[in-house]
Amino acid sequence: METYLYKAKDVLKNKVVRGEIETESEEQVKRFLADKYLYPLSIRKKTALNSDVGDIAFFQKPIKMADITFFCKQFAAMVQAGISVGRSLEICAEQASHKTLKKHIMNLHEEVNRGKTLSEAAADEKIFPDLLVSMIECGEASGNLDVVLNQVVDHFDIQLGTTRKLKKALTYPALVLVVVGIVVFVMMVKVIPNFVAMFQDADIELPLPTQIVIALSNFFAANWLGIIIFTALLAVLGFNIKKIPGGRKTVDQLSLKLPLFGPLNKKTMSALFAKTLSMLVASGLPMLQAMEIIKKVLNNAIAEDELDDAIELLKHGNTLHEALRGSQIYPPIMYSMISIGEETGALDEMLVKIGNYFNDEVQTTIDSLMVLIEPILTIFIAFIVGGIMLAVILPTFTAAAAMM
């Protein structure tokens, strides 16, 4: 199979279109164009020289969850308006501003036109979340694709809102810590050595804090290049630690035990678990299949292990609340509410209530964090920078006392 680039004139719409197709020969490309009432202007094999730079993975703009959510909103609105799936995908592809996502939507359109179901085509593209693919499959089976898509959009919107709020809360302290680190580094390498020379000329006994700062300054000045390289390597390791065997589990375990952020992560996963499961159960998906999807949605190694254990218990006839009992992530109140939902036969409704409860808890916790972060940062900066300045000033008082 070869990939061919084509330029053709759309006879019906009287416009020039460009695209690419994977097929066995140039003749098949011509037949493909003829079927679509396209008159070929040029056809050539795709090579590294004539490929778009955007096709190279390094230059591709990553597809974010916000991009997929926006596409789902557009697509759901058109399907709900009675437009066919094929035509809706074509319109979404024309309006998409993200080049990579546009190509994937065009692929969806072509595969659906060839007879594949939308869920099968979406699964083949590998960019859409498993949750979205499964919900589309349920919508196709029940004939309520527009309703299911709107449910998914609402679910993604809540997720995005929480993620953005959390990022906003963490961006400020992260920037402040980086700036403070740079300032302290410069002071240690460039500023403190000037004071050291002055103290040596004064021939006075230096206080302990000053001696500590001078020792640190000497170390920084002698090893500044190594410190920069080590910090850079540490940053690279931090961004890629989940790719190291065992690293993902360690980080995920730590994320559940951190002060302030540990409880927040648990509440976030509890809300996501309940909201996702309620949507999947309400759409008619079997419980075991729904739990498999949630494993990927939560994206946490500890949660995955716990859900694997829960799935095994479900297979042996246990109820959901029994299967989840003893989790280090989900609190006892969740088991109690799930138990009530199972007894009353309204599990999906109870899961919605659980999801709303924990989502409110997450929002409250984030608001509390945003209030706490600023004074904590102020105290930290005062301790670090103020401590260095005090250590520099103390010898001045010692010298003044010696002269009196």
Side-chain angles (χ1 to χ4, degrees), residues 18-225:
R18 290 178 174 82
E20 63 179 69
I21 181 174
E22 190 174 318
T23 186
E24 294 178 355
S25 67
E26 189 173 322
E27 289 301 319
Q28 288 191 355
V29 178
K30 290 177 180 178
R31 282 198 292 271
F32 168 79
L33 295 176
D35 290 341
K36 292 182 173 293
Y37 299 98
L38 298 174
Y39 179 76
L41 300 176
S42 69
I43 299 173
R44 52 183 175 166
K45 285 185 181 180
K46 185 177 180 181
T47 64
L49 295 176
N50 59 26
S51 296
D52 187 350
V53 174
D55 292 334
I56 302 172
F58 180 81
F59 294 101
Q60 286 180 357
K61 182 182 176 183
I63 299 174
K64 299 180 180 178
M65 198 64 222
D67 300 316
I68 293 176
T69 302
F70 183 69
F71 158 66
C72 288
K73 284 181 181 179
Q74 282 185 311
F75 183 63
M78 283 183 276
V79 171
Q80 198 166 20
I83 302 172
S84 68
V85 170
R87 179 59 183 151
S88 298
L89 289 170
E90 187 178 6
I91 295 170
C92 288
E94 289 173 356
Q95 295 181 351
S97 57
H98 193 296
K99 288 184 68 176
T100 308
L101 181 58
K102 185 186 186 82
K103 289 178 181 178
H104 284 288
I105 298 173
M106 289 171 64
N107 291 342
L108 281 180
H109 175 247
E110 289 178 5
E111 292 301 317
V112 167
N113 283 347
R114 288 174 183 171
K116 277 190 178 181
T117 63
L118 179 60
S119 58
E120 289 172 342
D124 290 341
E125 289 306 304
K126 307 295 184 185
I127 64 158
F128 299 104
D130 293 314
L131 173 63
L132 176 59
V133 175
S134 297
M135 289 298 289
I136 289 173
E137 188 176 357
C138 292
E140 289 173 328
S142 63
N144 295 318
L145 183 59
D146 56 335
V147 176
V148 166
L149 284 171
N150 282 320
Q151 288 178 341
V152 175
V153 166
D154 291 341
H155 180 73
F156 287 162
D157 272 338
I158 293 171
Q159 271 188 269
L160 282 171
T162 302
T163 303
R164 284 169 178 165
K165 194 171 183 179
L166 188 57
K167 282 182 178 178
K168 185 179 178 182
L170 295 177
T171 299
Y172 171 70
L175 286 174
V176 169
L177 289 175
V178 169
V179 171
V180 169
I182 293 171
V183 169
V184 169
F185 182 78
V186 172
M187 287 179 68
M188 288 293 183
V189 174
K190 294 292 183 182
V191 179
I192 302 300
N194 295 329
F195 284 94
V196 171
M198 184 178 68
F199 297 151
Q200 289 173 343
D201 293 340
D203 194 25
I204 57 174
E205 185 178 351
L206 300 176
L208 180 61
T210 307
Q211 293 179 31
I212 293 172
V213 170
I214 289 174
L216 287 172
S217 176
N218 291 336
F219 175 78
F220 273 71
N223 303 283
W224 64 269
L225 183 58

Side-chain angles (χ1 to χ4, degrees), residues 293-314:
I293 293 169
I294 291 172
K295 277 170 52 180
K296 298 172 184 176
V297 172
L298 293 180
N299 192 29
N300 182 283
I302 307 304
E304 287 174 13
D305 290 344
E306 289 190 351
L307 289 179
D308 280 333
D309 295 338
I311 288 169
E312 286 302 314
L313 290 173
L314 287 171

